[in-house]
Structures are given as structure tokens and as C-alpha cells.
């Protein structure tokens, strides 16, 4: 064995013995024969790949015909119906990220008061897409139509603006999550930078141009220590790529406001939670683990200081979003040309009362009536910040924004929803709780 290895892979290049020349010659011919076969196979594979690629590009350039997910007369009819307001002077809103947590709630609230809403969502698998599909079904049951597509699809966006002269765009589609940016940085650039620019390009070219309200993030305050965080504070020290892309979004929207006259309102959301929430967030995953008897990991800051968040209940955020749409001035440009200065605003939407993560866990335990198995570990250096705290005086003055739900009552509503949605019956003592919560959730 050792000998064979030595022959095939001589330790010093060129050190093959001359007396083996014949053998080598025979091997060479054999090898040449198999190389020609391989060459033919390679040619065949190249031809196959080339024809596949040209077919793909044909499909891409004719997606209106091939792509079953959008296009066609029936599709346009659904878009128009969903976009048509049912109240005099109502808005016609294109809402991106409609199958997301905040997107679903804002879509429902707009629809409820008679505005027209068309949703757009790519249903990616950052977290369980079946939850997104369930939200879509909820919206469909209220006649809100959600298009399955990506904000990076310029042709789809152009088509949507062709079919409907949207008065407003509520842009909530994004790659969320602070710590996931370590694992998948490209998805933040794809959605929060490239996708945003593609959307703004479509908005600037639209005639009329819509007014845009979009989701920035409390994370732009990064490593700031002055609290509460005010919109006038510095935002040039992001602690995560997520924060950096949201900060970049604020600069990018400013550019489109400046060059094209797009009316822009950026909303810095502070750790939004509630029913139909995001499974990747701590309050949600803690609930799941506590109910399943699995341990949860609670991060702790420097010098053993507890981390804290200005947790903000979804209903308060929805009010802030709607007030932003209501107070947004019209864009001043049209068809890609600016005709005057346009509104540019940024607001904090928080709760103004930070709560520590261990307190969050205690509230969940008391709602779930189950004790959590807690592992306390030092906060990993993967983008987290030790605390957030919003100053909301600007939003209060301009939007009439006034959060009314504290973490206790907000989490109670969340737990009730969670139990009714997922069901729960692992331990006899908790069956009654699940059943009772299910009944209450159905009634509300
Ligand atoms: O305001 C925002 O702009 C952001 O809010 C949210 O980010 P965060 O405030 O980080 O929320 P979230 O992950 O629920 O962690 C909450 C707390 O639990 C701690 N945490 C978290 C996980 C864990 O296993 N253990 C733990 O202690 C953790 O250290 C933290 O202290 C959105 O996800 C984000 O998309 C963005 O919108």
C-alpha cells in the first residue's frame, strides 16, 4: 500500500524511476483515453448548463408570463379591490412586510378604518413561514390582499404602481434581529439596503409619488449612554450590522427626500412585542421554552448589571404608525423629478419605561404559571446593547403618540394569544389555563 502511494505521489516532484518508463507510458495512454471521455462529458455538461441558464434568463425576462405568483387580470383586480379605500378621503397604502408581525397589525388597523391596503411580503424563512402564512390568512379573512414578492423585484414594484396610484407606502419589510447579523450579514444588506433602494427608486418614479413611512430601529442609538434616547442624539456608533443598516436607511431615505422630494417619516421602534409576534425575539422564545420545560438563557451586562429594554406593546406601535401616515405631507415630486422641498421626519416610538430581562421572565412565569429554568450568562459581544430607553416627547407633540400598555398587561395579552394559537397541555395543572386563555382569545 505504502509502495503504491509512493509511486502515485512521489515525495519529491520528478523523482520517478526511469526503469518504470514503460509502465508509465501505458498508464499515460490509459489516462489519455479516460481524459478524452471526461472532456466529452465536460462539454456535454457545459452545453446543458448553458441551455439551462439561457432558459432561466428567458423565464426571468418574461416573468409576467411564467411567474405564477404575480401578474394577470385576476391578480390586478385583486390588487385594485384591496387598494380601494372604503371611506371618503381614505388612503391607498402599499404595505411591505405585511405578513410580518408589525405589518399584519398595521394592515388590519388601516383596513378596519376604511383605508385601502395592498400587502407585499417575500415569506422568507428567517422564522417559521407557517406563522407568516397564518397572518396572511388572517389578512385575507379581512379582504386584505398580500402579494408574494420581494422588495428587490423592481419590475413587480413598477407593476404595482402601474396598477394603483398608491398615496402612501408603509415600509416594514426588513431583515430583523440584532444577533442574527453575525450569522447572515448578506441578508441585512439584501433587505435593509438593496431592497430599500429598490423600493425608493419605484416610489420616486411613481406619479403621483407616495408619502413614505418606514421602520428604523432603536438600535441606531448603539453604544450611547445618555438616557432617555432622543432623536437629536448621535447615532454614529452602531453595535450591530442590523443597527448599521437601519442607520444607513435613515441616510438613504434622506437622500431620496433631498433629490426627489419624497416625503419621508422614519420610526425608531423600541423592542416591539405582542400577539402574532416574532418567534426569534426573547419574550416569544422564552415563553416557548418555559412551556416546554426547556432552559432559557438570560444575558447579563458588565459588572453583573441586568440588561433592560423599553419593551413597547404592538397596539401602541400601530397607533404611532397610523398617526405618522395621517400626518405625513405629500411628496413634492413626480415621475422622478423634485418640485420643491419635502417633509423629512424621524420619531422614537417606545414605551419610556425600560424593564430588565429578569423582570420580563418573572412576568412570563406568573402568566404561564410555570417556573423558568434560567441559565445566566455574560452578554456575548454579538451586537447586543445593555439598555434602551426612548424619549418620546417629539412623537407626543407631533403625532399625539401616547403609549398606554405596560409590560404586565401587554405580556398577558401575548400569553393569551400564544396559548390559543399553539395550544398547550403538557401538565395537568396547566390545561385549565390553556383552555381558559383559548376561550378568552376567541372572544376578544
Ligand atoms: O428595538 C429594536 O430596534 C430591536 O428590538 C429587538 O431587538 P432586542 O431588543 O435585542 O430584542 P430581543 O431579541 O427580544 O432581546 C430582548 C432582550 O433579551 C435579551 N436576550 C435575548 C435573547 C436571549 O436568549 N437571552 C436574552 O437575555 C437581549 O440581550 C435583550 O436585552 C428586535 O428583535 C430587533 O429586530 C429590533 O427591532
Amino acid at each position: 500500500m505504502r509502495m503504491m502511494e509512493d509511486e502515485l505521489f512521489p515525495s519529491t516532484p520528478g523523482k520517478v524511476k526511469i526503469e518504470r518508463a514503460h509502465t508509465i507510458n501505458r498508464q499515460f495512454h490509459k489516462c489519455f483515453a479516460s481524459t478524452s471521455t471526461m472532456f466529452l462529458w465536460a462539454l456535454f455538461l457545459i452545453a446543458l448548463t448553458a441551455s439551462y441558464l439561457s432558459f432561466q434568463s428567458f423565464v426571468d425576462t418574461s416573468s409576467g408570463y411564467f411567474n405564477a405568483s404575480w401578474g394577470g387580470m385576476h391578480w390586478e383586480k385583486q390588487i385594485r379591490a384591496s387598494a380601494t379605500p372604503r371611506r371618503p378621503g381614505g388612503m391607498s397604502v402599499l404595505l411591505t412586510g405585511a405578513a410580518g408581525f408589525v405589518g399584519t397589525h398595521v394592515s388590519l388597523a388601516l383596513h378596519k378604518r376604511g383605508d385601502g391596503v395592498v400587502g407585499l411580503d417575500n415569506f422568507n424563512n428567517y422564522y417559521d413561514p407557517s406563522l407568516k402564512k397564518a397572518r396572511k390568512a388572517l389578512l385575507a379573512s379581512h379582504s386584505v390582499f398580500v402579494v408574494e414578492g420581494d422588495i428587490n423585484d423592481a419590475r413587480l414594484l413598477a407593476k404595482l404602481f402601474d396598477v394603483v396610484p398608491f398615496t402612501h407606502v408603509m415600509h416594514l419589510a426588513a431583515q430583523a434581529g440584532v444577533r442574527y447579523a453575525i450569522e447572515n450579514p448578506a441578508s441585512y444588506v439584501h433587505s435593509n439596503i438593496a431592497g430599500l433602494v429598490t423600493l425608493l427608486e419605484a416610489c420616486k418614479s411613481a406619479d403621483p409619488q407616495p408619502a413614505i413611512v418606514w421602520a428604523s430601529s432603536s438600535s441606531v442609538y448603539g453604544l450611547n449612554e445618555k438616557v432617555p434616547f432622543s432623536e437629536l442624539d448621535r447615532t454614529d456608533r452602531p453595535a450591530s450590522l442590523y443597527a448599521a443598516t437601519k442607520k444607513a436607511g435613515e441616510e438613504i431615505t434622506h437622500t431620496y427626500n433631498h433629490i426627489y422630494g419624497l416625503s419621508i417619516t422614519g420610526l425608531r421602534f423600541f423592542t416591539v412585542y405582542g400577539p402574532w409576534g416574532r418567534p426569534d425575539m426573547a419574550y416569544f422564545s422564552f415563553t416557548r421554552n418555559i412551556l416546554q420545560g426547556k432552559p432559557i438563557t438570560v444575558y447579563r451586562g458588565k459588572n453583573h448589571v441586568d440588561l433592560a429594554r423599553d419593551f413597547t406593546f404592538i397596539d401602541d406601535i400601530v397607533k404611532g404608525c397610523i398617526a405618522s401616515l395621517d400626518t405625513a405631507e405629500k411628496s413634492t415630486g413626480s415621475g422622478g423629478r423634485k418640485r420643491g422641498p419635502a417633509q423629512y421626519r424621524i420619531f422614537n416610538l417606545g414605551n419610556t419605561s425600560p424593564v430588565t430581562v429578569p423582570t420580563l421572565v418573572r412576568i412570563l412565569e406568573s402568566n404561564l404559571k410555570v417556573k423558568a429554568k434560567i441559565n445566566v450568562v455574560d452578554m456575548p459581544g454579538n451586537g447586543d446593547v445593555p439598555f434602551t430607553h426612548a424619549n418620546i416627547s417629539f412623537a407626543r407633540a407631533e403625532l399625539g403618540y401616547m403609549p398606554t400598555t405596560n409590560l404586565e398587561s401587554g405580556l398577558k395579552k401575548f400569553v393569551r394569544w400564544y396559548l390559543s394559537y399553539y395550544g398547550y397541555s403538557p401538565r395537568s395543572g396547566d390545561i385549565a389555563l390553556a383552555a381558559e386563555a383559548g376561550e378568552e382569545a376567541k372572544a376578544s
Side-chain angles (χ1 to χ4, degrees):
M1 191 67 188
R2 173 84 211 148
M3 243 184 79
M4 212 172 140
E5 269 177 23
D6 283 351
E7 281 168 11
L8 288 174
F9 307 106
S11 55
T12 312
K15 214 177 162 196
V16 183
K17 286 180 187 159
I18 293 164
E19 60 264 31
R20 273 191 260 142
H22 289 298
T23 326
I24 288 167
N25 212 10
R26 265 203 313 276
Q27 277 176 354
F28 177 77
H29 277 108
K30 247 188 184 167
C31 178
F32 183 74
S34 70
T35 309
S36 350
T37 318
M38 273 174 65
F39 180 70
L40 283 174
W41 271 108
L43 267 183
F44 175 67
L45 282 174
I46 289 167
L48 205 67
T49 314
S51 44
Y52 170 75
L53 287 177
S54 56
F55 176 71
Q56 268 302 105
S57 84
F58 176 60
V59 168
D60 282 351
T61 51
S62 356
S63 78
Y65 183 73
F66 281 101
N67 191 335
S69 67
W70 64 271
M73 270 163 65
H74 178 63
W75 180 82
E76 288 185 20
K77 208 171 147 196
Q78 286 175 299
I79 301 282
R80 280 197 198 93
S82 197
T84 307
R86 291 168 288 107
R87 68 179 174 98
M91 303 172 183
S92 193
V93 184
L94 173 64
L95 200 146
T96 71
F101 167 37
V102 180
T104 299
H105 284 276
V106 177
S107 299
L108 284 176
L110 285 170
H111 175 80
K112 210 168 164 184
R113 65 174 207 169
D115 291 312
V117 188
V118 173
L120 174 64
D121 203 293
N122 70 2
F123 293 87
N124 70 20
N125 62 0
Y126 168 57
Y127 60 80
D128 181 13
S130 75
L131 179 59
K132 299 180 183 183
K133 292 285 177 191
R135 295 187 191 125
K136 181 184 177 179
L138 176 69
L139 291 174
S141 74
H142 289 84
S143 311
V144 175
F145 185 66
V146 180
V147 175
E148 191 156 346
D150 198 292
I151 50 170
N152 283 281
D153 188 342
R155 281 179 310 108
L156 169 59
L157 294 177
K159 182 73 190 168
L160 286 168
F161 279 102
D162 244 19
V163 176
V164 176
F166 291 106
T167 57
H168 295 76
V169 168
M170 181 87 219
H171 175 48
L172 299 172
Q175 176 57 61
V178 174
R179 290 162 291 277
Y180 178 63
I182 296 273
E183 276 171 60
N184 191 356
S187 76
Y188 290 78
V189 177
H190 177 80
S191 295
N192 305 357
I193 307 278
L196 175 66
V197 171
T198 309
L199 179 71
L200 291 169
E201 281 291 314
C203 292
K204 97 171 192 223
S205 305
D207 192 2
Q209 287 178 339
I212 298 165
V213 177
W214 75 286
S216 181
S217 158
S218 73
S219 63
V220 299
Y221 292 110
L223 304 175
N224 288 7
E225 288 184 351
K226 175 185 156 282
V227 284
F229 298 156
S230 148
E231 291 89 345
L232 301 175
D233 294 344
R234 65 189 291 191
T235 51
D236 57 353
R237 293 184 302 168
S240 63
L241 184 67
Y242 169 71
T245 60
K246 286 296 182 179
K247 170 66 181 167
E250 293 186 356
E251 312 298 3
I252 289 167
T253 51
H254 185 269
T255 311
Y256 277 80
N257 165 268
H258 173 68
I259 300 180
Y260 300 108
L262 281 175
S263 162
I264 302 280
T265 305
L267 302 175
R268 293 176 179 166
F269 294 161
F270 282 68
T271 315
V272 189
Y273 72 98
W276 293 99
R278 274 176 31 213
D280 62 310
M281 288 184 67
Y283 73 95
F284 201 119
S285 63
F286 286 176
T287 300
R288 186 180 51 222
N289 281 16
I290 292 172
L291 288 173
Q292 292 175 356
K294 292 182 184 161
I296 60 172
T297 304
V298 170
Y299 302 138
R300 183 173 57 186
K302 263 190 206 151
N303 305 320
H304 293 190
V305 174
D306 290 334
L307 304 184
R309 286 291 181 276
D310 199 358
F311 296 101
T312 310
F313 190 60
I314 183 65
D315 292 0
D316 290 321
I317 289 291
V318 169
K319 283 184 205 145
C321 290
I322 302 247
S324 300
L325 288 166
D326 285 343
T327 54
E329 291 172 6
K330 284 190 172 159
S331 291
T332 62
S334 67
R337 294 195 44 205
K338 181 179 179 179
R339 297 212 158 71
Q343 187 181 38
Y344 184 85
R345 308 180 293 175
I346 288 190
F347 294 112
N348 283 342
L349 293 186
N351 197 47
T352 62
S353 52
V355 176
T356 66
V357 177
T359 306
L360 163 87
V361 175
R362 276 194 291 278
I363 299 171
L364 285 176
E365 286 179 326
S366 96
N367 273 288
L368 298 168
K369 301 191 172 49
V370 182
K371 194 107 193 78
K373 295 173 186 155
I374 305 170
N375 288 329
V376 180
V377 304
D378 287 341
M379 181 175 93
N382 55 5
D384 237 329
V385 292
F387 56 83
T388 61
H389 183 181
N391 175 337
I392 55 160
S393 40
F394 190 42
R396 190 185 297 145
E398 298 291 313
L399 307 175
Y401 172 73
M402 204 53 226
T404 56
T405 312
N406 63 23
L407 191 60
E408 276 87 359
S409 30
L411 281 180
K412 195 170 176 187
K413 288 179 185 173
F414 165 72
V415 166
R416 204 180 289 158
W417 167 81
Y418 185 98
L419 296 173
S420 71
Y421 184 77
Y422 289 105
Y424 172 60
S425 57
R427 270 174 293 213
S428 55
D430 299 313
I431 294 172
L433 171 74
E436 182 195 321
E439 284 313 311
E440 278 182 50
K442 267 179 225 150
S444 62

